Structure formats: structure tokens, C-alpha cells
Amino acid sequence: MARVSNAKPRVSNVKPRVSVTKRRPSSTPGTLTKRPKNSNGVFVRNAPDNGASQAQFDTSPFAEGAFRQVYKGTYFEGPRKGEHCVMKEFKTGCVYEDRFFQEDILAVKKAGEFIEKFNDEGVVSKPVYLNEPEVWSGTGGRIAGHKILVEPMIFGEYFRFNSNTGHATPDTATMQALSHFSYHMSGGKHLLCDLQGGRYDGYYVLTDPVIHSKNKEFGGTDLGQDGIDNFMAHHKCGRFCNPNWKTPTAKKLIPLFQAVAGTTFGEGQMLFTNEQRKSLEIQVKKEVRIKIRDLWEKEIPGDKSKMMIVEKKKTVETKFK
């Protein structure tokens, strides 16, 4: 297995584990009940501020995403001693460079802002929490000198609620509302998505969120303005979405690329050619005009045609007096 620590880096060649040293940890929960134990606001952390922790990890991953492998481990020093955690390691490259990890950390911080507001608004009865990963450094074995991400383990059934291209798992109205809420609260400038994690009795704990931003501030899974527009084009409001929340203009409700279940890096697969998009935009504009006219015509009382003639006569009579 592999080892990890947040004290000063120290070399360890314990096999079959690797040793890692992390920077200063933050605030902790442990076994999950109605609220993650010792959580700090919406964040679930490795350890309290300024506390030291160490952990050891299996050498073989138990799960993987599109870009990272996930290893199961156990804290063997610190406030979470004996509890389980996970180590996330990029599959290729990026293992020494802080900036790749800092983009993940920034996305988590931004996601926490939206989740805190979502909870405060009381949109749903179950509060949402978020694992806050930390960058640790390997101190021995295969990962010596490597940068990795460490966070508490999510237990129970694991769900992928939506993706960063707009795919939505059925019966996940809470998370679809959270994504829409982030669009509304940011005035359309950001969108929280790729929501995944554990659904517990009384609350949710999420991990690895994606933030789309106009200027692509949050790494390779941030698909920019196109990602924001595309997600909202695929989004279907559910029972927790407020009808007064911000929505895109009709033109932007034509998706740019496919909604796929996994995480998309860089850019999505385009759905339409430029010519097809132009044709669709013309059709949308026409349909919107027709629908709007249908709506207001239905609100006119009595016989619409007679009413229009009466109004015309009044205009003529007034003119010749």
C-alpha cells in the first residue's frame, strides 16, 4: 500500500503501500450521520486547520475517471485515524505541477459558494455538502515526489447525477436544480455541474465538481461559455427548479454538442453543422413568434375578430370628429 502525510515530508518505502505528505489540512468530518461529522460549513475535510494527518493507500486503484485513478486508503495518524480516505492521481503527466491541482481546488471553492447559497435558500430539505480535497506529496515508493489529491471516502451507493455536457440521470431533481441554481445566482456567468457523490439519509456529499465559466478559469473540464449554454440547452427543469430562475434566450436553447454521461475534457462533440444551426435558429425565431402570439391571443376575451373591428371603428370615428 501507499502512505500519505501532512507533516514534514518523510520517506517511507512500506510495501505494498506508498507514503505521502500533505500540506496543512482543514476541518474534518468522519462517520456520516445526519450531517457530516465536524464539517466546516458545506466542506468535508481531511483534518481540522493546522492539524497533521498521514494515510496509507492500496497500490491498485479501485475506481477511475476519465483522467484520474482512485486509490482506497486509511488515515493512520491525525484526527481521522482509522477512517477511510481516497487518493486521486492523474493517469498521465501533471504529477509534479501545482497548477493542475490548484484548478481543481479553485473549482471546489467556487462550487462551495453555490452549494452554501443553495442550502441557505432551502430549495430542498436535504442539505448538500462537498468533499474538499488537498494536495499532498508522495514521500516514498512509486509516488515519491508526486503531487496527489486526498479527501475523505464517500460511503454507500455512489451516484453520477449529471455530467459537464448536460446529461442528467433520472430521478435526480435536486442536483439538476443545483446546477440551474448556480446559473441563476451567477447571472449566467458560471455553471456548477458534473455532480457526483453519495446520497445519504438526510443529506448529500459531492466530490469532483466541474465549474463552467466564461473565461475557462477552472481547468480542462471547464468548457467555457459553450459549456454553460450547452448544459442549459439540455437541461429540463424539475420540481425543485424555480420558474423565476434565469434561463437562456431562445436562440441559446439549441445545444452545441451531445450530452454524454462521462466527463468531457476540452470540448464536446458538435451536434450540428453551421448550416444546420443557422436553419434551426431561423425556425426557433419563427416558432417563438407564433407561440407568443398564440399566448396573448388566448387572453383576449370574446370574439377576437369583432373586437378588432370595433376598435378600428372607434379609431375612424375619432379621426373625423
Side-chain angles (χ1 to χ4, degrees), residues 9-187:
R10 54 185 198 188
V11 178
S12 172
N13 289 310
V14 175
K15 295 194 177 179
R17 300 199 146 186
V18 184
S19 181
V20 182
T21 295
K22 85 172 186 68
R23 300 187 221 179
R24 294 259 183 231
S26 303
S27 196
T28 181
T31 306
L32 301 174
T33 54
K34 281 208 166 179
R35 169 190 175 98
K37 186 178 90 180
N38 298 324
S39 53
N40 186 345
V42 299
F43 291 114
V44 181
R45 293 171 170 170
N46 289 307
D49 290 332
N50 301 319
S53 292
Q54 295 191 67
Q56 53 188 9
F57 296 88
D58 295 338
T59 53
S60 299
F62 78 98
E64 63 179 282
F67 318 107
R68 289 180 296 205
Q69 291 177 322
V70 185
Y71 299 79
K72 189 182 297 183
T74 305
Y75 299 100
F76 66 88
E77 185 177 304
R80 282 183 170 275
K81 185 177 179 180
E83 296 179 19
H84 294 295
C85 54
V86 295
M87 172 179 82
K88 298 177 179 180
E89 182 182 30
F90 283 97
K91 290 181 177 179
T92 56
C94 316
V95 292
Y96 303 104
E97 298 182 41
D98 276 343
R99 75 177 180 89
F100 293 98
F101 297 92
Q102 292 309 317
E103 288 169 346
D104 272 21
I105 301 299
L106 286 173
V108 168
K109 296 288 188 186
K110 191 67 179 179
E113 293 176 16
F114 291 125
I115 292 171
E116 185 172 20
K117 291 175 183 176
F118 186 77
N119 289 343
D120 289 345
E121 290 281 328
V123 178
V124 297
S125 59
K126 286 185 177 183
V128 181
Y129 297 93
L130 177 64
N131 265 357
E132 184 175 31
E134 294 176 293
V135 182
W136 292 23
S137 297
T139 59
R142 179 185 62 80
I143 60 171
H146 289 202
K147 295 282 193 292
I148 59 169
L149 291 172
V150 178
E151 64 185 59
M153 182 121 181
I154 292 177
F155 291 93
E157 192 172 1
Y158 193 91
F159 294 87
R160 178 176 279 277
F161 302 105
N162 62 33
S163 72
N164 65 336
T165 52
H167 179 273
T169 301
D171 191 29
T172 56
T174 295
M175 293 301 137
Q176 310 320 320
L178 175 55
S179 290
H180 189 173
F181 179 82
S182 67
Y183 177 84
H184 169 71
M185 288 301 298
S186 67

